[in-house]
Amino acid sequence: MKRALLLMLVMSAFYAASAAAVELLNVSYDPTRELYVALNEKFSADWKVKTGEAVTIKQSHGGSSSQSRKIIDGLDADVATLGIASDIDALHDNGDLLPADWQKRLPSDSTPYTSTIVLLVRKGNPKGIKGWGDLVKPGIAVITPNPKTSAGARWNFLAAWAYALKANAGDEAKARVWIGQLYKNVPVLDTGARGATVTFARRGLGDVLIAWENEAHLAIAEFGDGFDVVVPQTSILAQPPVAVVDKNAKKHGTEKVAEAYLKFLYTPEAQEIIAKNHYRPVDPTIAAKHASDFPKIELTTIAQFGGWKAAQPKFFGDKGVFDQIYQSAK
């Protein structure tokens, strides 16, 4: 009898411990690895204190559009933290994995941090690259990933396109010619932003890397002080959004913790971590505190292009502007 009672107590303790352990899968894009390592550690510790529940957050990283495709094809993401809104829209359009109005569920259009696009060059800037205009010069090798698979590459393309439009008084035909010249200087298209960084920083290919602001600073921290950041006069406000993947979270019983996880990203503690990882916080108090870390740049927004629902098919859909330009450039 005592043995049976002891076994029951052990089994009860085991099931109680199992019930109090939760696992989330955050499917994210290339440059966020280090950011979410820090955020996950802080959230898990806070959640344990508040609820007594142990939560483990697993990560998956890759080109944003490739990650979106993996979720659609069955990767069981509880949350998606991707590089552009259209990659999360695709989760609704292909399988109804979350509602169409997902961006209304969290502040700032479900964007807890922003970034922009800068240029990373070799130490001392031997090619004298000062801004976008220099990227089309003969003999300049430009590293940027593939806009068909990488959100960062799409922000890169649109930042360059906005410059070309402005430099050519809004003439789209001339902007196409300029962008074509830029891509003639691109020797290889990696699938994601991190792959492009490795190509430039570790493999030593190229004279300039078009990069997320945070990725440029990470390259210097990770690969050594062999690079300089060139901040162009104009760029684009990059807005990487986040969302609970409702269909999967409901299946896993993780809706409550997944929602709390994303809301945590807006807290002062998380915003501090975001700023320290070279993303631009959306909390105005934290942003003001770190203002000196983020140069002021004239930023266009995706609204100039009609939002992602218009920009995605026009520029990056099959036979869109990028396909037309790249085929001509090569």
Side-chain angles (χ1 to χ4, degrees), residues 185-251:
N185 284 349
V186 177
V188 61
L189 290 175
D190 289 286
T191 58
R194 182 56 58 86
T197 300
V198 170
T199 292
F200 179 75
R202 180 177 291 165
R203 293 175 56 200
L205 186 64
D207 302 301
V208 55
L209 172 70
I210 308 177
W212 294 91
E213 182 177 41
N214 62 287
E215 187 75 356
H217 287 285
L218 180 69
I220 293 172
E222 184 171 340
F223 295 104
D225 189 27
F227 312 96
D228 291 324
V229 176
V230 173
V231 179
Q233 289 185 329
T234 64
S235 194
I236 193 166
L237 178 66
Q239 298 169 289
V242 302
V244 174
V245 184
D246 296 61
K247 192 171 183 178
N248 292 342
K250 185 175 182 180
K251 178 174 66 176

Side-chain angles (χ1 to χ4, degrees), residues 9-227:
L9 290 172
V10 170
M11 293 300 291
S12 296
F14 172 78
Y15 286 120
S18 298
V22 178
E23 185 174 285
L24 290 182
L25 175 59
N26 177 6
V27 174
S28 196
Y29 64 107
D30 256 343
T32 59
R33 291 170 173 82
E34 295 77 14
L35 171 65
Y36 278 106
V37 166
L39 288 170
N40 293 348
E41 182 179 352
K42 178 63 175 170
F43 174 78
S44 296
D46 289 356
W47 189 253
K48 179 71 172 180
V49 170
K50 290 176 183 176
T51 69
E53 195 172 56
V55 58
T56 300
I57 303 161
K58 293 190 174 181
Q59 291 292 130
S60 171
H61 295 276
S64 181
S65 297
S66 298
Q67 293 292 81
S68 175
R69 184 73 253 172
K70 288 177 183 177
I71 296 172
I72 292 165
D73 290 344
L75 182 60
D76 261 356
D78 298 281
V79 298
T81 60
L82 298 178
I84 50 175
S86 58
D87 285 340
I88 297 184
D89 285 334
L91 305 182
H92 168 75
D93 298 339
N94 298 274
D96 199 22
L97 298 176
L98 41 63
D101 64 349
W102 61 271
Q103 273 192 288
K104 296 180 180 178
R105 299 195 291 191
L106 290 167
S108 304
D109 291 328
S110 290
T111 302
Y113 45 83
T114 66
S115 190
T116 191
I117 303 304
V118 299
L119 309 176
L120 189 69
V121 299
R122 305 292 172 190
K123 191 70 176 178
N125 197 3
K127 294 296 181 78
I129 295 166
K130 297 178 181 178
W132 297 107
D134 295 317
L135 303 190
V136 299
K137 291 180 178 178
I140 300 294
V142 179
I143 303 300
T144 183
N146 189 342
K148 305 293 280 191
T149 55
S150 165
R154 295 182 198 186
W155 290 116
N156 293 355
F157 181 99
L158 292 180
W161 181 269
Y163 163 82
L165 276 180
K166 185 174 181 180
N168 290 284
D171 189 321
E172 189 162 308
K174 290 182 179 179
R176 283 175 177 254
V177 171
W178 188 91
I179 290 285
Q181 292 173 333
L182 170 60
Y183 277 91
K184 282 182 181 178
N185 284 349
V186 177
V188 61
L189 290 175
D190 289 286
T191 58
R194 182 56 58 86
T197 300
V198 170
T199 292
F200 179 75
R202 180 177 291 165
R203 293 175 56 200
L205 186 64
D207 302 301
V208 55
L209 172 70
I210 308 177
W212 294 91
E213 182 177 41
N214 62 287
E215 187 75 356
H217 287 285
L218 180 69
I220 293 172
E222 184 171 340
F223 295 104
D225 189 27
F227 312 96

